Amino acid sequence: MNKKSIWTKDFILVCLAALATNICMRMLDSNLASYANIAWNSKSLGGQLTSFFNFGSILMAFFGGRIADIKGRRISIIYGCLLFAVPTIAMALIPLPGVALGVRVLQGVAKGIVTVAMASVVSDIVARDQMNEGMGMFNLGNTISFAFGPMLGLALVDMGGYSTMFLVCSVTYALGVVFAWFMNYEKKQKSPVIEADKVNTMADKTPAEYKGIWKLIEKKAIIASLINTIFFGGYACILVFLTVYAQEVLLLNSTQISFFYTVAAVAMLAVRLLTAKVADRYGALIMIIPGHLAMIAALLLLAFTAKTSYIAFLAAGACYGIGMAIVSPTLNAIAIVDSPAERGATANATFYFMMDFGILFASAGFGALMDIAPSIESGYNQTFLISVGIIVFSAVFSLISLNKKAREKRSAV
């Protein structure tokens, strides 16, 4: 029996919305450390700009599943995109640390709304036995943005400075409103929204599952979400500090740095297109462990070999792209598939707010470590090596908790 194609109109629109919004977020994530270093001579502030963003995201992602259920996916995406786009203009007009930190909190709140709502659209319209393929294709918008976002940000800074990047970022995020406007699957089919009276009924029948904090957190999504949190904690040093590391230690110009992200983008595309259905057929670990190994290779290349070889720097980009294309989308699919169908939005909310915890603490910690390191180079080396340890721990945890026997045992509870 042939499976139905996942490429419906609404799936294409949500993928385009994810691409636009994630490119904007990665433009900021990868360039704000450099911005803070140039504008205010502070690496710790660069880490705080990322931490404040993730703090806002955690606050809202915690409730994002409920908002998406009650208000609807489309409306959540539209208002979330507007909440991100409008305050971003203030970063261009008022270049003060306090303003930047405040805007980053608001941007994080908007991101918490938008990412959960978009992922919930996917979990609504893609069949569960195609969820790895669906989440993999959807997350191309995310993974590609990790490559093209920083590259576009660097180009905009070179052309017109950081204010130009902030203004373009605002416009780019607003494109999400346009794409969401034309999504109409919620009108055409029975709404997946869990109405308030239904939730109350479910709560009476299964209090441990739906009362209190468990209205906002999906228990069966926690393991996959926790692994992703650890993985992102290890990867955060590349997310936040790659650009400034390449400028300060490797002494590369913007064009040379951009090729890192270009190579990463090509690797991401190739891996996702070649392996889109592998996890659905053969299991998640066959994807997740190689993805961890690729990220470890990227970190080791950056710590040791990239200093003397530009080819090694680009190879690190390829390994980074492979790791990002595989691990997080596969874990996101596991979080959804392992959870009850009617709790898809809550499973996504659990996944994203836990991921933001990893980035928040890692970016703040690594920023503080760099400021107290005896030298710039040693600070980056320590950061990369600590990150390798975190990724190794994430891989071991995956082997223990995501094997077939462990997942079957949890599903029976």
Side-chain angles (χ1 to χ4, degrees), residues 221-230 331 335 347 350-352 354-355:
I222 288 177
I223 294 296
S225 302
L226 181 58
I227 294 169
N228 194 59
T229 299
I230 298 167
L331 290 169
T350 303
F351 185 83
Y352 283 107
M354 289 182 68
M355 178 182 77

Side-chain angles (χ1 to χ4, degrees), residues 225-235 358 390-391 393-394 397:
S225 302
L226 181 58
I227 294 169
N228 194 59
T229 299
I230 298 167
F231 179 78
F232 264 71
Y235 141 82
I390 294 172
I391 299 292
F393 178 73
S394 177
F397 190 17

Side-chain angles (χ1 to χ4, degrees), residues 66-404:
R66 293 285 292 166
I67 292 171
D69 281 337
I70 295 170
K71 299 298 183 181
R73 286 44 161 148
R74 176 176 171 271
I75 293 300
S76 296
I77 295 170
I78 289 172
Y79 284 110
C81 286
L82 290 174
L83 181 60
F84 192 108
V86 175
T88 302
I89 299 171
M91 294 183 73
L93 301 179
I94 313 172
L96 297 174
V99 172
L101 290 170
V103 169
R104 289 298 279 167
V105 173
L106 290 176
Q107 289 174 340
V109 169
K111 183 248 185 181
I113 297 171
V114 168
T115 53
V116 171
M118 288 181 181
S120 298
V121 171
V122 177
S123 60
D124 288 343
I125 63 180
V126 174
R128 291 175 78 79
D129 62 351
Q130 295 176 282
M131 195 58 69
N132 276 294
E133 180 186 4
M135 274 297 166
M137 292 296 101
F138 166 70
N139 273 287
L140 273 179
N142 190 14
T143 53
I144 292 172
S145 73
F146 278 96
F148 286 110
M151 186 168 59
L152 179 59
L154 285 167
L156 290 169
V157 170
D158 279 349
M159 286 191 297
Y162 288 97
S163 293
T164 299
M165 181 184 71
F166 297 145
L167 292 173
V168 171
C169 178
S170 181
V171 174
T172 302
Y173 214 96
L175 286 174
V177 175
V178 178
F179 295 126
W181 191 266
F182 294 99
M183 294 179 200
N184 57 7
Y185 80 94
E186 288 172 298
K187 297 178 182 178
K188 289 183 176 181
Q189 63 188 48
K190 186 177 180 181
S191 174
V193 174
I194 302 176
E195 297 174 356
D197 58 343
K198 183 178 178 182
V199 173
N200 291 334
T201 301
M202 294 169 74
D204 292 337
K205 292 180 180 179
T206 53
E209 197 72 28
Y210 291 102
K211 279 189 175 179
I213 195 67
W214 303 114
K215 284 185 179 181
L216 306 174
I217 298 175
E218 173 49 50
K219 288 182 179 181
K220 292 187 176 181
I222 288 177
I223 294 296
S225 302
L226 181 58
I227 294 169
N228 194 59
T229 299
I230 298 167
F231 179 78
F232 264 71
Y235 141 82
C237 63
I238 298 180
L239 171 68
V240 179
F241 295 110
L242 187 280
T243 297
V244 68
Y245 168 69
Q247 291 169 338
E248 289 188 332
V249 176
L250 306 184
L251 305 178
L252 300 177
N253 59 42
S254 295
T255 301
Q256 291 172 313
I257 298 170
S258 295
F259 279 117
F260 176 95
Y261 298 112
T262 302
V263 170
V266 172
M268 288 175 183
L269 281 169
V271 168
R272 284 281 18 135
L273 293 174
L274 291 172
T275 63
K277 300 179 181 181
V278 171
D280 285 322
R281 293 178 181 175
Y282 303 108
L285 284 177
I286 199 171
M287 298 281 287
I288 289 175
I289 298 305
H292 277 78
L293 294 175
M295 190 60 72
I296 290 170
L299 290 163
L300 292 175
L301 284 167
L302 288 172
F304 297 111
T305 317
K307 297 169 189 174
T308 57
S309 170
Y310 183 63
I311 296 299
F313 177 71
L314 297 181
C319 293
Y320 156 80
I322 292 168
M324 286 308 304
I326 292 176
V327 177
S328 192
T330 305
L331 290 169
N332 196 179
I334 292 172
I336 294 168
V337 171
D338 285 359
S339 302
E342 71 275 9
R343 298 271 290 175
T346 308
N348 279 312
T350 303
F351 185 83
Y352 283 107
F353 87 76
M354 289 182 68
M355 178 182 77
D356 288 331
F357 264 116
I359 300 175
L360 186 155
F361 288 111
S363 59
F366 290 148
L369 176 64
M370 299 243 214
D371 273 349
I372 63 172
S375 69
I376 293 174
E377 186 171 338
S378 66
Y380 285 116
N381 271 2
Q382 290 172 22
T383 297
F384 290 137
L385 293 177
I386 290 171
S387 297
V388 168
I390 294 172
I391 299 292
V392 168
F393 178 73
S394 177
V396 173
F397 190 17
S398 299
L399 285 170
I400 294 171
S401 58
L402 295 181
N403 60 73
K404 186 177 180 180

